[in-house]
Amino acid sequence: MTSGTAASAVREPAPAEGLRARRRRQTRAELHAATVRLAREHGLEHVTVEMISKEAGVSPRTFFNYFRTKETALFAWPGGLTEAEAEQFVSAPGRGPDAVLRDLGDVFATHVDEMAPGAGAFEDVLALVEKVPSALGAFLAECDALERDLAGAIARRTGDAPDGQTVALLAGIAMTAVRNGLMRWARDKQHPDGPAASVRDSFTALRGLLAPAYTPPATTEREA
Amino acid sequence: MTSGTAASAVREPAPAEGLRARRRRQTRAELHAATVRLAREHGLEHVTVEMISKEAGVSPRTFFNYFRTKETALFAWPGGLTEAEAEQFVSAPGRGPDAVLRDLGDVFATHVDEMAPGAGAFEDVLALVEKVPSALGAFLAECDALERDLAGAIARRTGDAPDGQTVALLAGIAMTAVRNGLMRWARDKQHPDGPAASVRDSFTALRGLLAPAYTPPATTEREA
DNA sequence: GCAAAGATTGCAGTGTGTGCAAGAATCTTC
DNA sequence: GAAGATTCTTGCACACACTGCAATCTTTGC
């Protein structure tokens, strides 16, 4: 898959991404995939870095050029949101908490959707997070990094200082909803529609919880 | 410090706590203290389990009978709230989100206050959490455990199911405020009153954020 | 082409974390 | 109080995680 057939420059003049960067991205993805696959099969505690790197076709030493630990290799989602996702969110109208949370629900729902195409591996990773303490720590650290990114985006949208208290709290609350949605889905599988629906559900519940006076109008509708 | 002078049984009939449990609790505390002290002095990455155990007067092997890793030894706060704290919170009046969050602010403010008597070590540990990735993971995992405990208490108070969505979200939001208060205090040292005041502040900001229609009475001195 | 920059790898070495079994301290029961 | 059951400590051995260094090879920029 994705192999051979060096496509002659038809539509891809490789603008800023050299061959080097491409390969690097690829081996990283391969290491991640190998980690998840093996953890799924044998349980993370019985998977060694040696196995992973062999499975991915690189040396054990190389593994550590890509991931600090076995656990961090479980999570491949990029450091934060896409350029596009962030831009869309930032430039959306409304800067009150409710509007921000509404849009964040959308953003993360689509984000999760794109992130879990097969969803098979995603599911297993989340199950692992609940089971293995070290995996939990890595997962939460990853969430924390995402939260910081998120705070930046929120600040850009509301015009607040990036390190302000309000911004940080909003980001934290949003990530709480994301985690809640993901974990509930992984545990109860109560949303056959997939994790994205579960995340969206958590955001809805969150907004309902926060402003009982408001009771936002049935979601769905975009405010001008 | 804390050495010698085996106090003859004057006022301590040791009702339900045997000598064994007492010693166990003590060496645990000593290992924790040694870890923090050494990490503060040399930086966590340069502290080995061997150093810690030597400092605490036990064998390296014994260290692992108490803590799974070096990092977890940084955090000594017990698994959750005190019996008393929990009881008081559970039986307080009001079961809406705002009332719950208000009381949780109080609970955690006092909890943090009791936890950080000297506050010297506490401060360093939080600074470490921001600096060392592995420490961050351990810290967040610890917070997660506390969050689960908290969910139980909230459920007892509101009468909801302990694993319900609303309960989980409330607990997550509350822990977000706690973390925010602690980290902001450790970073900016903007609250000379100590971490408890900072945590309280975060809860106030959170409640103000959630229900803008409410605008809880006063308590805010400053605005961003 | 050629030189700078970057990636992979082997090797050696430190440190983490676990299973096991022997020994010492504490608790139980009579 | 003394024997016996628990529990804690510790040393030992071992697998594995992770790092620094230096050699080698590939990509890149000129």
Side-chain angles (χ1 to χ4, degrees):
Chain A
M1 32 315 233
T2 330
S3 67
T5 61
S8 49
V10 182
R11 284 270 161 128
E12 289 291 343
E17 165 134 329
L19 199 162
R20 202 168 231 158
R22 176 180 240 80
R23 280 184 73 83
R24 192 168 168 78
R25 184 187 311 277
Q26 177 174 344
T27 59
R28 184 183 175 86
E30 226 147 291
L31 281 170
H32 162 67
T35 306
V36 173
R37 203 180 321 138
L38 289 173
R40 168 198 200 121
E41 188 169 352
H42 303 113
L44 183 61
E45 53 264 37
H46 298 128
V47 175
T48 72
V49 172
E50 196 181 349
M51 293 187 207
I52 298 171
S53 37
K54 176 167 293 184
E55 182 97 355
V58 296
S59 89
R61 185 63 184 80
T62 296
F63 175 91
F64 292 107
N65 288 342
Y66 286 87
F67 297 100
R68 283 187 309 102
T69 67
K70 209 170 47 175
E71 286 78 20
T72 56
L74 284 173
F75 311 104
W77 51 22
L81 301 172
T82 316
E83 255 330 288
E85 289 171 340
E87 266 331 301
Q88 183 184 354
F89 165 72
V90 166
S91 58
R95 34 201 63 187
D98 193 68
V100 167
L101 285 178
R102 168 170 47 73
D103 291 348
L104 282 181
D106 292 343
V107 166
F108 278 110
T110 54
H111 194 234
V112 167
D113 243 350
E114 290 167 359
M115 193 165 36
F122 198 49
E123 192 171 335
D124 291 322
V125 169
L126 289 177
L128 223 63
V129 163
E130 283 223 315
K131 212 170 164 32
V132 184
S134 59
L136 175 64
F139 173 72
L140 293 175
E142 211 73 24
C143 285
D144 187 74
L146 222 171
E147 188 176 320
R148 284 159 206 260
D149 254 43
L150 186 52
I154 294 176
R156 288 224 309 281
R157 168 154 170 175
T158 65
D160 283 326
D163 60 341
Q165 188 179 35
T166 301
V167 168
L169 285 173
L170 266 179
I173 290 171
M175 281 308 301
T176 296
V178 172
R179 283 199 291 125
N180 181 272
L182 289 180
M183 296 316 275
R184 281 181 68 81
W185 170 72
R187 214 181 6 244
D188 310 342
K189 215 69 65 42
Q190 64 176 7
H191 263 289
D193 314 357
S198 187
V199 167
R200 199 182 292 275
D201 207 49
S202 282
F203 269 92
T204 303
L206 175 65
R207 288 169 60 216
L209 191 68
L210 300 196
Y214 282 18
T215 314
T219 68
T220 64
E221 286 288 359
R222 285 269 156 134
E223 87 178 356
Chain B
M1 44 280 264
T2 330
S3 67
T5 62
S8 50
V10 184
R11 285 265 160 133
E12 289 293 342
E17 165 134 328
L19 200 162
R20 202 169 232 158
R22 177 183 240 76
R23 280 184 73 82
R24 192 167 168 77
R25 183 185 312 276
Q26 178 175 343
T27 60
R28 184 183 175 86
E30 226 147 291
L31 281 170
H32 163 67
T35 306
V36 174
R37 203 180 320 137
L38 290 173
R40 167 200 201 121
E41 188 169 352
H42 303 111
L44 183 62
E45 52 264 34
H46 299 128
V47 175
T48 71
V49 172
E50 195 180 351
M51 295 187 206
I52 298 171
S53 37
K54 176 167 293 184
E55 181 97 356
V58 297
S59 89
R61 185 64 184 81
T62 296
F63 175 91
F64 291 107
N65 288 342
Y66 285 86
F67 297 100
R68 281 187 310 101
T69 67
K70 209 169 48 174
E71 286 77 22
T72 56
L74 284 173
F75 311 104
W77 51 21
L81 301 173
T82 318
E83 256 328 290
E85 290 171 338
E87 266 330 303
Q88 183 184 352
F89 165 73
V90 167
S91 59
R95 33 203 63 188
D98 192 68
V100 167
L101 284 179
R102 168 171 44 74
D103 291 348
L104 281 181
D106 293 343
V107 166
F108 278 110
T110 54
H111 193 235
V112 166
D113 242 351
E114 290 167 0
M115 193 164 35
F122 198 51
E123 193 172 334
D124 292 322
V125 169
L126 289 178
L128 224 64
V129 164
E130 284 223 314
K131 214 170 163 28
V132 184
S134 58
L136 174 64
F139 174 72
L140 293 175
E142 212 73 22
C143 285
D144 187 74
L146 222 172
E147 188 175 319
R148 284 158 206 263
D149 253 43
L150 185 53
I154 294 176
R156 287 226 309 281
R157 169 154 169 176
T158 65
D160 284 325
D163 59 342
Q165 188 179 35
T166 301
V167 167
L169 284 173
L170 266 179
I173 290 171
M175 280 310 299
T176 295
V178 172
R179 284 198 292 127
N180 182 272
L182 290 181
M183 296 316 275
R184 282 181 68 80
W185 170 73
R187 218 186 357 248
D188 311 342
K189 215 68 66 37
Q190 64 176 5
H191 263 289
D193 314 357
S198 186
V199 167
R200 200 182 291 275
D201 207 49
S202 282
F203 269 91
T204 303
L206 175 66
R207 288 170 59 218
L209 193 68
L210 301 195
Y214 285 15
T215 315
T219 61
T220 35
E221 337 172 16
R222 44 183 313 178
E223 197 133 4

